[in-house]
Amino acid sequence: MTSSVPSSSEPKRRRSSESSDSSLEIRPISPPPLKRDTALSNKRCRVEEVEVIDLCADDEPTIVVDTKQSSPKGLVEAGSGPKDVRKIKRTRPSIEIDDSEDPTELVEMKGPTPLNGPVPSPMQLNSIEGLPAASNKDTLRLRDILGDPLIRECWLFNYLFDMDFVMKQFDSDTRDMVQVQLVHGSWKDEDRNRIGIEEATRRYSNVKVTTAYMPEAYGTHHSKMMILFRHDDSAQVILLTGNLIERDWRMSQAIWRTPLLPLQIQGPKPGKSLPKLGTGHRFKHDLLAYFRAYGPTKLQDITTQLQQYDFTEVRGALIASVPGKQGLRSTDPETDSRWGWPSLKRILSCIPTSPSCSGQSASPAPQPHTIAQVSSVASIGENWLSSTFIPALSATAAHPTTGKTSTNPKFSLIFPTAEEIRRSVNGYEAGASIHMKTQSPAQAKQVSFLRPMLCHWAGERTTLFSTPASRELTREAGRGRAAPHIKTYIRFSDPTVTEIHWAMMTSANLSTQAWGGAQTAGGEVRICSYEIGVVIWPALWEDAESGSKAKMVPVFKGDTPMAEDIKADTPIQEATAEEEAKTVIGFRMPYSLPLHPYTSHSRPWCASEASSIPDHLGRIWPGNRK
């Protein structure tokens, strides 16, 4: 007998089992933060019931916080409270901040500390209950991020919030003292997400709310980010792909964290030139510009605080979107191509992806391969994809001596099928967060032109795919049963997908609302939503003084490159001494390689389409009716 997974019009009450709260190792990333002793609470925390609504609009699910929850006191054992909380008086260095001029506008600044040996993946995956331990190696839970008792102030930027779920992630002894600031875009009074947030602020006196200005009717505040300020006078920026609701953290998500940022010893000297893309100083400059895009005063508090911190050790380029029209013909580098796909194109145009073969070789250079993997595909139109977005993704820096650029890459799009949703850890429930409409004639036409690009999410050695020989070659990520809410865009150097030119983790799905529409005759690009992410590439780990080079490789079931990852491309080209000397950066793969293209029988998951085929939990899907 099968049961039905409720659609959006049928609220479903779900009781989650107790989750393990064992401490995970806090390990250095992007590049290593300052070492410190972190003691996370080992107490088990009972997860309360929440009311889950399985659908929202085109891009994300909607959640309504159960208003029958107990008061915040119910989250802590009776009679417990802050223990051994000591007030430490610190003297901050004197820093003069001029709000009229960004102090990170420098010409010459110190770079990050050079590293030796393999570098663990700057992007991490989330831990998922129900997956084997090998698939959860080096992963993070939300509690591993928010459960640090040294957090004094926490800014949460997101689309959907379940504040009862979020507050449980903080350390039980300090959660009532952490100043929590929410930034969301649910401005309509009847919006269920807004109602849930407002009810939560009445239960948690330390939670404050800022509503982003939303000028576009079809836009959302889709950015997913945390800013943490700590009692040890450090700060940290964390980018995510998941909403702050419990269901999202049972799906595949990604996390990118800066190292702990110290206070600046002295303010940097102002300059006319922008810092170099990929440096921590430019990351800081662009992050502060993103905050200012919310309005001149709306996020002034966080902007003023972050200006005091040193971003030198950050490696990566911020990629963001803000709603509004952006002119592409400006001569001002501060306003030209700052957001959306124009910003992406500008960033990628600075990344070297030199041809593997010299101009004198008779054989052509191998074709690079760009793989987009998203949880939602909107109505984008074939012309926008082929004439606007793919060309932006294909941008690259010319070779410094020959002036040549790499061959235009092949483009693939990973999106789960209905069968992969049924087989996922949470079955059809996960499908409520994944969107591609296929039912109308226009939607069917879009699926038709996307089909040659579409590839399966679950590429492990299963009976879904062809022959034992091809399955034996699969490099398994171990995440096939964790349905994807993650969004990644990766350019591989050649068809063997063993080396990475660049990688991007972002909140942005495949839509014109997120990336911006095609350029108008007047030279403008219209963007509807707030989005945020990061682009990384191997040259960020190279050291100009020593002349050391770097390369980035995909890694599986762990964050640190192993011998088999580093030498995965030796069948094509024997490793040279120069190749052996390179610093190797891992990039944790959320999906297995090589890819498995859709067959003629494969159908992308469509949440609005009902299915009578039971998932592995014995439930059927009535289809979201919204």
Side-chain angles (χ1 to χ4, degrees), residues 381-435:
E382 184 173 3
N383 188 57
W384 178 84
L385 183 64
S386 60
S387 300
T388 298
F389 191 64
I390 290 181
L393 274 179
S394 304
T396 181
H399 191 281
T401 56
T402 66
K404 293 184 177 181
T405 58
S406 299
T407 308
N408 283 336
K410 176 183 177 181
F411 180 77
S412 295
L413 175 61
I414 296 178
F415 196 84
T417 61
E419 177 60 24
E420 289 165 333
I421 294 299
R422 284 191 281 268
R423 293 175 56 250
S424 69
V425 171
N426 295 293
Y428 281 131
E429 182 184 347
S433 299
I434 299 173
H435 305 281

Side-chain angles (χ1 to χ4, degrees), residues 215-254:
E216 297 287 341
Y218 297 102
T220 58
H221 186 267
H222 203 247
S223 293
K224 303 176 192 321
M225 173 172 57
M226 300 178 183
I227 309 291
L228 307 180
F229 296 102
R230 296 159 46 88
H231 287 291
D232 60 2
D233 284 341
S234 65
Q236 190 171 39
V237 179
I238 302 169
L239 304 183
L240 314 164
T241 61
N243 291 293
L244 292 175
I245 61 176
E246 184 178 5
R247 178 175 60 195
D248 270 24
W249 290 84
R250 297 196 299 268
M251 303 172 69
S252 283
Q253 306 287 0

Side-chain angles (χ1 to χ4, degrees), residues 27 118-125 134-135 137-139 474-479 490 492 497-500 503 536 551-568 584-593:
R27 55 156 196 81
V119 178
S121 174
M123 182 193 84
Q124 290 181 268
L125 301 177
S135 299
K137 181 182 178 182
D138 296 335
T139 57
T474 299
R475 290 172 285 164
E476 292 187 11
R479 313 285 289 190
I490 305 173
F492 291 90
V497 292
T498 55
E499 190 171 339
I500 293 172
I536 57 174
K551 70 175 182 178
M552 186 176 289
V553 299
V555 293
F556 303 83
K557 293 185 178 179
D559 288 352
T560 303
M562 309 300 288
E564 57 267 29
D565 302 313
I566 298 170
K567 296 183 180 294
V584 180
I585 304 100
F587 188 84
R588 180 69 177 269
M589 295 303 297
Y591 50 83
S592 299
L593 292 173

Side-chain angles (χ1 to χ4, degrees), residues 293-453:
Y294 282 75
T297 60
K298 193 173 282 283
L299 297 180
Q300 187 172 8
D301 183 16
I302 190 173
T303 302
T304 301
Q305 286 195 70
L306 277 179
Q307 281 176 329
Q308 302 178 52
Y309 287 87
D310 184 353
F311 280 65
T312 300
E313 295 296 323
V314 176
R315 291 175 167 101
L318 190 79
I319 177 71
S321 295
V322 298
K325 292 180 180 179
Q326 176 181 197
L328 299 187
R329 296 176 181 173
S330 170
T331 58
D332 182 2
E334 279 293 315
T335 58
D336 182 44
S337 305
R338 172 171 273 182
W339 315 117
W341 68 257
S343 176
L344 176 63
K345 185 175 183 178
R346 175 174 50 83
I347 293 170
L348 300 185
S349 296
C350 298
I351 299 176
T353 56
S354 302
S356 300
C357 301
S358 68
Q360 287 145 11
S361 173
S363 58
Q367 185 182 27
H369 192 175
T370 299
I371 301 173
Q373 173 275 306
V374 297
S375 62
S376 178
V377 179
S379 298
I380 52 177
E382 184 173 3
N383 188 57
W384 178 84
L385 183 64
S386 60
S387 300
T388 298
F389 191 64
I390 290 181
L393 274 179
S394 304
T396 181
H399 191 281
T401 56
T402 66
K404 293 184 177 181
T405 58
S406 299
T407 308
N408 283 336
K410 176 183 177 181
F411 180 77
S412 295
L413 175 61
I414 296 178
F415 196 84
T417 61
E419 177 60 24
E420 289 165 333
I421 294 299
R422 284 191 281 268
R423 293 175 56 250
S424 69
V425 171
N426 295 293
Y428 281 131
E429 182 184 347
S433 299
I434 299 173
H435 305 281
M436 182 192 292
K437 294 184 177 180
T438 64
Q439 293 170 294
S440 74
Q443 293 160 0
K445 182 180 179 181
Q446 175 166 293
V447 173
S448 179
F449 79 73
L450 288 176
R451 181 169 289 279
M453 312 171 196

Side-chain angles (χ1 to χ4, degrees), residues 3-4 23 50 59 67 86 91 111 113 178 188 229 251 269 277 301 325 332 342 354 369 388-389 496-497 535 582 592:
S3 61
S4 173
S23 295
V50 297
D59 288 332
T67 57
R86 291 170 292 177
T91 303
T113 306
V178 177
K188 295 181 180 179
F229 296 102
M251 303 172 69
K269 298 177 182 178
L277 274 167
D301 183 16
K325 292 180 180 179
D332 182 2
S354 302
H369 192 175
T388 298
F389 191 64
T496 65
V497 292
V535 183
K582 286 183 175 179
S592 299

